[in-house]
Amino acid sequence: MQRILTLFILLAALTSQSALASKSISDSLVTDLPCNKITASEIYKRMSPRQFSSDFHLPTTNWEYNVKSGLYQLGVCWSLSRAQRLFFYLGRWNAPSEYARPHTLQVLNMLRGSSVYPIMQNQESYPRQDFGILAALMRGVGDRDFKTEIEKYETDRFHKLAKNLKLIIGSGSRSKKNNQQSKGLLIQNLQLNKMSLIVIRASRVAQHVVLVKRYQREQNGDVKFWVYDSNRPGHDALLTYRQADSRYYAPGIVYGIVPEKDLHDPVGVYIVDEKERDPVEATLVRHYSSLCSSLSRK
């Protein structure tokens, strides 16, 4: 009897695995993600570049706000770039109406810095401030809304001295060795659909955070990096790594940040917050595992 029961359990397991092997998930982020292989690396591999188009940029522009009762001002470029990365990976567009929408408070908590992330199901086809999740975030809950949470995260992240000290050591461009290393890591990440937050330093007091989305190698060895820039969210901006001198240039990005005579000077590039993709990956694995489990029960 025990032997028959064991065989039955084994047969059921094999049948279940076979059923999962024939099922896959597709949505606005992934295409044909196999249910028998739900891993972070497989999810990255199945991502569609369409999800990272400028059509899905948050339609809000970087703003300044007072910190420490007006002692100084900060821009929210770091917080908006982080939010953009979250929306790219966790936002779902044209989602069927039967999919559960996240509570506004869940998304606000995520923007504030909570480690629990929701999948943001949207019925609309792109972010809109007058409809859907983004509109709900703008209206907010109580005294919390998109603006307050973006500012809260920016303030907290800016004041992490141990993490930020390296950003103010030196001025402007970095060494050739550092630039070569950062270029290699950016390309390695992008080949895996992993977008990176970078600090662009034009000078010690002129810094800006953008999100690197894709790259293109030129015949002369230069590398063009296309980024989301919260100062100009309507389109992708350009950061260029120049092979001839191993330095980065971003005149279109630092325009308005530095004097016009300094637009074409090399800039420093720092890759930051790489570990912040971990909760995103964990959320994606849980989400698609749950979807596949639902499929196996049908």
Side-chain angles (χ1 to χ4, degrees):
M1 183 65 180
Q2 181 63 38
R3 184 177 179 184
I4 293 175
L5 181 60
T6 301
L7 288 173
F8 177 80
I9 293 173
L10 179 60
L11 180 61
L14 291 173
T15 302
S16 176
Q17 290 177 4
S18 177
L20 279 178
S22 64
K23 295 181 183 296
S24 64
I25 297 288
S26 294
D27 58 20
S28 64
L29 178 67
V30 299
T31 302
D32 293 330
L33 175 66
C35 280
N36 64 339
K37 198 174 183 182
I38 304 296
T39 62
S41 59
E42 190 67 22
I43 292 170
Y44 278 121
K45 187 187 303 182
R46 302 286 176 160
M47 287 180 182
S48 166
R50 170 74 181 122
Q51 176 89 350
F52 310 136
S53 160
S54 59
D55 291 341
F56 300 108
H57 285 180
L58 294 169
T60 51
T61 303
N62 185 25
W63 67 87
E64 290 187 338
Y65 67 104
N66 291 323
V67 182
K68 304 290 186 182
S69 301
L71 183 62
Y72 57 91
Q73 287 188 321
L74 281 179
V76 293
C77 59
W78 199 317
S79 192
L80 280 177
S81 294
R82 169 184 174 268
Q84 183 64 69
R85 181 161 66 176
L86 294 174
F87 269 71
F88 274 150
Y89 287 132
L90 302 178
R92 296 297 176 274
W93 307 101
N94 293 316
S97 58
E98 65 267 20
Y99 281 1
R101 304 297 190 263
H103 297 296
T104 301
L105 197 56
Q106 286 180 292
V107 184
L108 290 174
N109 288 340
M110 175 182 71
L111 295 176
R112 175 171 288 205
S114 165
S115 60
V116 179
Y117 293 174
I119 295 292
M120 294 174 282
Q121 305 283 6
N122 297 270
Q123 288 183 332
E124 67 268 29
S125 58
Y126 52 87
R128 289 170 52 183
Q129 296 189 49
D130 62 334
F131 182 76
I133 287 176
L134 190 55
L137 293 175
M138 295 299 178
R139 291 191 298 269
V141 177
D143 61 351
R144 297 175 59 187
D145 57 24
F146 182 82
K147 183 174 183 290
T148 62
E149 298 314 306
I150 289 294
E151 291 179 358
K152 176 70 167 59
Y153 183 86
E154 184 79 30
T155 302
D156 291 347
R157 185 62 186 80
F158 180 80
H159 289 112
K160 291 183 178 177
L161 183 61
K163 287 188 174 182
N164 295 342
L165 187 60
K166 65 182 180 181
L167 306 179
I168 57 175
I169 296 175
S171 179
S173 184
R174 305 180 70 197
S175 71
K176 292 183 178 182
K177 179 180 179 181
N178 284 333
N179 290 339
Q180 291 163 357
Q181 289 174 341
S182 61
K183 178 209 53 169
L185 180 55
L186 288 174
I187 290 175
Q188 176 182 306
N189 282 345
L190 291 172
Q191 288 173 335
L192 300 173
N193 284 320
K194 294 183 177 183
M195 289 174 285
S196 295
L197 291 174
I198 62 170
V199 174
I200 292 180
R201 184 178 73 185
S203 70
R204 189 175 292 120
V205 295
Q207 302 193 27
H208 185 49
V209 181
V210 298
L211 177 65
V212 186
K213 299 168 50 177
R214 57 189 173 90
Y215 77 100
Q216 176 182 316
R217 293 183 188 271
E218 302 293 286
Q219 289 186 348
N220 63 358
D222 290 357
V223 182
K224 290 182 177 179
F225 293 100
W226 300 97
V227 309
Y228 156 81
D229 176 3
S230 61
N231 283 339
R232 302 165 187 85
H235 60 272
D236 292 341
L238 178 63
L239 167 72
T240 300
Y241 173 86
R242 193 176 295 168
Q243 179 70 19
D245 60 1
S246 299
R247 300 203 183 278
Y248 291 98
Y249 297 86
I253 296 174
V254 300
Y255 180 84
I257 300 175
V258 301
E260 189 170 347
K261 65 181 180 63
D262 300 329
L263 285 179
H264 298 282
D265 289 349
V267 296
V269 167
Y270 296 82
I271 301 173
V272 295
D273 296 349
E274 286 288 273
K275 291 296 292 180
E276 289 201 2
R277 277 193 297 265
D278 291 353
V280 172
E281 294 172 6
T283 301
L284 291 173
V285 169
R286 282 196 305 270
H287 172 67
Y288 288 119
S289 296
S290 176
L291 288 182
C292 283
S293 294
S294 299
L295 284 177
S296 68
R297 291 193 293 267
K298 292 180 180 179

